[in-house]
């Protein structure tokens, strides 16, 4: 086989770089039909073996009209130097040869590709992977020690994590106050699949001991959500993880094993409200999985649905990637691009969210129509002792001048009981004229919602009350507007209601 001049020149350059004065190049076909290059030198202790892949055959230039229509045209070299990562919309990818296709199909499912590249977008795609790498970096997870998976919604991320590790006969523990969609999946699907579920009060100093009291031999998931949606109560993640370690032992994952083989439960946390700007979940010893609804603060503009799951455990990542490949869906290329673009301003957005929210919370705390305000930045918050350790405010380890903030989420409760509280809360939400009445959170615009009649209606009232979610609770996602505009809007809406109810009609200005 003849060796091209360019390849000879390449090895000549290698030889001269390491001080080799003479060398011999030999080429042969290996048993796998790959071209192998042997480079032997006049130094007995230096030998280089290198594999040469066959040059990919280019397609014939299309001549017919129909073939020109169906052919793939690509830009000239240099397009990859665009500053912003491109959007790769392809559903499938060209292969060098059949052997590469075989290798790709034989691989163990994982979030990221290796040197063989991509094969099919349901198994991974470039734009998705680029955004996942960025979130993993925010979570403090380097490529060599963990990975991130991106899904087409936060609920897709949550359900994939649970389906990856739970099977019939397993037991899982969840907090009373948990996102409504998570509660609905657990009670209407997981229990029907033969999974046992226990709900506990996860908030405050008793949270870890409440989890410990629920441990069973068959417990496979210890699920947390902090700050809790919508009560803003905080969970001591370090205490929960320590309780799991003390009861079951420290996790020992074996690369290549099944996630079902593990004896210690998987400790997961939905940290959507805090984001990695504040809370680095995987920095806490014993925490296995960090979940975010990236629809919210990470995307930041209320224009995508997305979810993420990040872990350092290879068996978990394999199981979750298999669920994503076969059942749920990876985040599509366009939304992956928008997510990555949103993340670039996360640091500055989160600071403004927190600064505005503190001003709003202080006004609410003083208003006579409000019986309670739940904001971690207030001294009145029941879990205030945990707040400073959770809300890092974008600090790196060597930072000492970061502005301390506590996120953009506030919950407050209108005065009154039962129907009075429900009526007042609804009227406050409906009379706002700067803040928008809408579900979701984390966008640049401010949103409010009434969980008892909106996002948490699927949770039985008794359980909702046990989890600290009263009828009159209102949730505010404080945006980036001028803080005084938000304060005046809320105050005007609250001023329309007295202790007997909201009977004063609103008049447009």
């Amino acid at each position: 086989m003849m060796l091209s001049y360019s390849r000879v020149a390449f090895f000549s350059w290698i030889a001269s770089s390491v001080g080799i004065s003479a060398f011999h190049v030999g080429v042969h076909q290996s048993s796998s039909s790959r071209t192998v290059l042997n480079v032997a030198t006049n130094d007995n202790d230096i030998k280089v073996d290198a594999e040469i892949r066959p040059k990919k055959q280019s397609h014939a230039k299309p001549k017919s009209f129909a073939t020109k229509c169906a052919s793939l045209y690509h830009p000239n070299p240099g397009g990859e130097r665009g500053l912003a990562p491109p959007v790769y919309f392809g559903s499938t990818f060209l292969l060098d040869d059949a052997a590469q296709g075989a290798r790709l199909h034989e691989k163990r499912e994982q979030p990221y590709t290796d040197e063989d590249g991509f094969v099919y977008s349901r198994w991974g795609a470039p734009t998705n992977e680029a955004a996942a790498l960025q979130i993993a970096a925010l979570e403090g997870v380097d490529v060599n020690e963990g990975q991130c998976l991106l899904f087409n919604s936060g609920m897709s991320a949550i359900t994939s994590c649970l389906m990856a590790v739970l099977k019939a006969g397993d037991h899982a523990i969840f907090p009373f106050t948990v996102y409504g969609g998570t509660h609905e999946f657990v009670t209407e699907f997981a229990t029907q699949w033969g999974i046992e579920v226990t709900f506990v009060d996860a908030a405050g100093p008793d949270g870890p001991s409440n989890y410990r009291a629920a441990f069973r031999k068959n417990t496979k998931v210890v699920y947390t959500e902090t700050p809790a949606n919508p009560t803003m109560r905080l969970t001591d993640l370090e205490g929960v993880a320590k309780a799991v370690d003390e009861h079951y032992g420290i996790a020992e994952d074996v690369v290549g094993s099944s996630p079902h083989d593990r004896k210690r439960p998987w400790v997961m946390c939905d940290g959507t409200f805090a984001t990695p700007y504040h809370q680095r979940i995987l920095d806490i010893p014993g925490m296995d999985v960090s979940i975010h609804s990236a629809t919210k603060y990470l995307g930041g503009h209320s224009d995508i649905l997305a979810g993420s799951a990040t872990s350092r455990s290879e068996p978990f990542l394999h199981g979750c990637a298999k669920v994503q490949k076969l059942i749920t869906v990876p985040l599509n290329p366009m939304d992956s691009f928008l997510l990555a673009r949103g993340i670039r301003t996360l640091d500055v957005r989160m600071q403004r969210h927190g600064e505005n929210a503190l001003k709003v919370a202080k006004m609410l705390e003083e208003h006579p129509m409000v019986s309670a305000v739940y904001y971690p930045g207030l001294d009145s918050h029941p879990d205030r002792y945990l707040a400073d350790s959770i809300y890092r405010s974008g600090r790196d380890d060597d930072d000492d001048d970061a502005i301390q903030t506590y996120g953009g989420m506030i919950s407050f409760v209108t005065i009154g009981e039962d129907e009075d509280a429900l009526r007042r809360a609804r009227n406050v939400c409906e009379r706002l004229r700067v803040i928008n009445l809408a579900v979701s959170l984390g966008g640049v615009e401010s949103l409010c919602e009434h969980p008892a009649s909106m996002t948490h209606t699927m949770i039985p009232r008794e359980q909702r009350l046990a989890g600290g979610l009263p009828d009159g609770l209102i949730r505010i996602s404080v945006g980036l507007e001028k803080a005084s505009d938000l304060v005046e809007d809320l105050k005007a809406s609250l001023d329309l209601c007295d202790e007997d109810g909201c009977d004063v009609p609103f008049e447009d200005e």
Side-chain angles (χ1 to χ4, degrees), residues 287-360:
M287 295 300 301
D288 296 304
V289 183
S290 174
I291 303 170
H292 293 280
S293 173
T295 306
K296 313 305 194 297
Y297 284 109
L298 295 180
H301 294 79
S302 303
D303 55 7
I304 63 169
L305 295 176
S308 69
T310 309
S311 179
R312 290 188 172 93
S313 168
E314 192 275 343
F316 170 81
L317 291 167
H318 161 66
C320 203
K322 184 177 278 290
V323 171
Q324 184 185 64
K325 180 178 110 173
L326 298 177
I327 305 174
T328 57
V329 183
L331 188 62
N332 68 72
M334 191 67 232
D335 284 351
S336 297
F337 172 82
L338 291 173
L339 173 58
R341 187 173 68 171
I343 289 173
R344 291 180 201 135
T345 59
L346 178 68
D347 183 75
V348 292
R349 284 189 288 108
M350 290 304 295
Q351 180 176 327
R352 179 68 171 267
H353 283 301
E355 292 172 350
N356 280 359
L358 183 59
K359 295 174 182 177
V360 171

Side-chain angles (χ1 to χ4, degrees), residues 417-434:
E417 301 294 334
D418 302 332
E419 288 300 319
D420 284 340
L422 281 169
R423 184 175 65 253
R424 289 190 175 108
R426 287 173 183 155
N427 275 279
V428 170
C429 291
E430 292 171 1
R431 288 174 174 167
L432 292 167
R433 289 300 180 266
V434 176

Side-chain angles (χ1 to χ4, degrees), residues 36-108:
V36 177
L37 205 66
N38 294 322
V39 181
T41 77
N42 56 346
D43 299 308
N44 293 330
D45 59 343
I46 300 178
K47 187 172 183 178
V48 181
D49 287 340
E51 176 186 319
I52 299 178
R53 280 192 174 184
K55 184 177 180 179
K56 188 172 72 172
Q57 298 298 314
S58 60
H59 280 68
K61 183 178 180 180
K63 297 180 180 179
S64 67
F65 182 82
T67 302
K68 288 177 181 178
C69 287
S71 293
L72 302 172
Y73 290 81
H74 294 277
N76 291 323
E80 74 281 357
R81 299 184 65 183
L83 185 61
V87 184
Y88 293 90
F89 284 110
S91 60
T92 190
F93 299 84
L94 289 172
L95 302 174
D96 290 340
D97 49 37
Q100 183 191 11
R103 292 194 303 275
L104 286 164
H105 283 78
E106 291 170 357
K107 292 181 188 292
R108 177 176 166 88

Side-chain angles (χ1 to χ4, degrees), residues 137-437:
L138 298 182
E139 299 266 29
V141 175
D142 292 330
V143 175
N144 295 328
E145 62 175 24
Q147 297 177 335
C148 172
L149 285 155
L150 290 184
F151 299 84
N152 66 337
S153 72
M155 274 309 303
S156 184
I158 291 167
T159 56
S160 295
C161 290
L162 296 174
M163 287 190 288
V165 300
L166 289 171
K167 63 182 187 303
D170 289 342
H171 173 244
I173 308 171
F174 290 83
F176 279 126
T177 306
V178 69
Y179 174 57
T182 306
H183 183 276
E184 188 173 3
F185 173 77
V186 168
T187 55
E188 296 193 18
F189 288 89
T191 55
Q192 300 303 312
W193 297 338
I195 297 165
E196 303 166 11
V197 176
T198 300
F199 290 96
V200 300
D201 183 355
D206 296 330
S209 59
N210 291 339
Y211 274 104
R212 187 192 299 270
F215 290 164
R216 300 180 189 174
K217 185 176 181 180
N218 61 334
T219 300
K220 295 299 181 182
V221 168
V222 172
Y223 193 92
T224 64
E225 180 181 287
T226 187
N229 182 5
T231 63
M232 294 306 298
R233 292 299 303 271
L234 305 180
T235 298
D236 179 2
L237 294 182
E238 186 174 354
V240 172
K242 183 178 179 181
V244 173
D245 282 343
E246 290 175 349
H247 189 88
Y248 295 97
I250 297 174
E252 296 182 0
D253 291 335
V254 178
V255 174
S257 64
S258 166
H260 298 293
D261 294 342
R262 192 201 250 207
K263 304 303 180 185
R264 177 188 183 273
W266 298 94
V267 187
M268 304 179 179
C269 180
D270 179 345
T272 297
F273 276 23
T275 81
Y277 174 83
H278 286 302
Q279 184 172 241
R280 317 285 165 78
I281 292 168
L282 297 178
D283 284 353
I284 300 171
M287 295 300 301
D288 296 304
V289 183
S290 174
I291 303 170
H292 293 280
S293 173
T295 306
K296 313 305 194 297
Y297 284 109
L298 295 180
H301 294 79
S302 303
D303 55 7
I304 63 169
L305 295 176
S308 69
T310 309
S311 179
R312 290 188 172 93
S313 168
E314 192 275 343
F316 170 81
L317 291 167
H318 161 66
C320 203
K322 184 177 278 290
V323 171
Q324 184 185 64
K325 180 178 110 173
L326 298 177
I327 305 174
T328 57
V329 183
L331 188 62
N332 68 72
M334 191 67 232
D335 284 351
S336 297
F337 172 82
L338 291 173
L339 173 58
R341 187 173 68 171
I343 289 173
R344 291 180 201 135
T345 59
L346 178 68
D347 183 75
V348 292
R349 284 189 288 108
M350 290 304 295
Q351 180 176 327
R352 179 68 171 267
H353 283 301
E355 292 172 350
N356 280 359
L358 183 59
K359 295 174 182 177
V360 171
K362 287 180 176 179
M363 182 279 293
L364 290 171
E365 197 169 38
E366 297 175 357
H367 200 283
M369 261 299 299
V370 176
S371 64
V373 181
Y374 298 101
Y375 183 66
L378 296 177
D379 291 339
S380 59
H381 192 282
D383 307 319
R384 182 67 180 83
Y385 72 100
L386 287 172
D388 287 343
S389 63
I390 290 176
Y391 288 86
R392 294 181 56 163
S393 303
R395 288 185 180 88
D396 297 312
D397 293 337
D398 56 352
D399 284 347
D400 56 8
D401 58 351
I403 298 173
Q404 178 64 53
T405 57
Y406 299 91
M409 299 303 300
I410 303 172
S411 291
F412 66 96
V413 183
T414 56
I415 61 173
E417 301 294 334
D418 302 332
E419 288 300 319
D420 284 340
L422 281 169
R423 184 175 65 253
R424 289 190 175 108
R426 287 173 183 155
N427 275 279
V428 170
C429 291
E430 292 171 1
R431 288 174 174 167
L432 292 167
R433 289 300 180 266
V434 176
I435 300 170
N436 303 279
L437 178 59

Side-chain angles (χ1 to χ4, degrees), residues 2-19:
M2 290 189 64
L3 190 64
S4 70
Y5 172 78
S6 60
R7 287 171 178 165
V8 172
F10 172 70
F11 280 96
S12 299
W13 174 80
I14 291 178
S16 62
S17 315
V18 296

